[in-house]
Amino acid sequence: MTRPPTAAQRRLIDAADPVTGRLRGTPAQLAALVKRGLAFRHPRPPHDHFLTPAGHRIRAQEPTAPPDPAPALPEPGVFTARIGDAEELPQDEAVRAREVRGAWQGLLELRRMTNPDGAAGRPCAWERSHLVRAAALALEAAGHHPAGPDGDGYRVRATGQPEAVAVYGPPAALRAWADTLERAGWQAGEYTEPRTRVRYVLASPRRV
């Protein structure tokens, strides 16, 4: 890319979904980003547009003007993987299911574009730098439910280990969650915390 994006294009890039890189804009705006190699149009319906690795690099750069402060909770229309927080906003189940499918397909496309061998079955660099959200998206895309106010469901949490997350919840569901993460390209197994004796799943993105 020989010249930086225009101010309008930079605003679209900065406003892309923080998890999947999904873009929102007019057809002309999105087509211009595709032409410049900053976005791609997903081949499957609903044919959403997502940032390419070049687009992600642009967004990682310091903007020319400071952005507005990030809201404490996600804004309407912005996809966020559910990690099992009590404060996560409720949403229409059908709408949520469509958004999760689109986010997961976008993530698979990002794997194909950024993994050196183009493998979609193995986590990419973005997932290794967003472990909690990436693992939560894999679980939700497979039909598992995050914990709600009653505590039933998965809760994905960071750990002190490099490139590892812990998934807590009902012991009867741990095996299914571990299997799902394995199929999504993670290494996962069940463990017991020595002090509390709480069972959980420990998962890390597979590199090979």
Side-chain angles (χ1 to χ4, degrees):
M1 189 175 63
T2 57
R3 57 190 176 87
T6 65
Q9 290 173 337
R10 180 59 197 257
R11 285 195 294 272
L12 256 67
I13 292 171
D14 289 341
D17 186 275
V19 176
T20 65
R22 185 170 59 175
L23 292 155
R24 294 182 183 274
T26 67
Q29 291 172 325
L30 297 172
L33 290 177
V34 170
K35 185 176 181 180
R36 299 192 62 174
L38 300 176
F40 68 91
R41 183 174 182 265
H42 200 277
R44 297 179 182 175
H47 302 298
D48 288 329
H49 288 71
F50 298 85
L51 290 177
T52 63
H56 280 283
R57 287 194 293 271
I58 290 291
R59 188 170 61 173
Q61 297 172 1
E62 283 294 327
T64 54
D68 294 333
L73 293 174
E75 296 178 353
V78 177
F79 179 85
T80 302
R82 290 177 173 169
I83 66 172
D85 275 340
E87 295 182 352
E88 289 173 331
L89 296 175
Q91 189 175 358
D92 179 86
E93 290 187 6
V95 173
R96 179 65 185 181
R98 288 195 299 270
E99 291 188 349
V100 170
R101 283 196 299 270
W104 180 246
Q105 290 300 322
L107 184 57
L108 293 180
E109 193 65 26
L110 186 62
R111 288 181 177 186
R112 294 187 187 97
M113 296 182 66
T114 59
N115 280 333
D117 57 357
R122 189 178 69 252
C124 60
W126 182 91
E127 291 168 272
R128 290 192 291 273
S129 63
H130 299 79
L131 293 169
V132 172
R133 296 292 178 184
L137 177 56
L139 290 170
E140 191 174 1
H144 301 293
H145 296 286
D150 58 1
D152 189 22
Y154 65 78
R155 292 177 290 113
V156 185
R157 298 293 183 262
T159 71
Q161 301 185 37
E163 291 200 356
V165 296
V167 186
Y168 297 92
L174 296 182
R175 184 67 262 163
W177 297 340
D179 289 344
T180 291
L181 290 169
E182 289 275 359
R183 290 193 297 271
W186 295 62
Q187 294 175 316
E190 295 181 54
Y191 296 85
T192 302
E193 291 185 347
R195 185 175 60 83
T196 63
R197 310 306 299 171
V198 171
R199 296 283 291 172
Y200 66 100
V201 171
L202 186 69
S204 300
R206 195 171 65 241
R207 288 186 172 272
V208 294

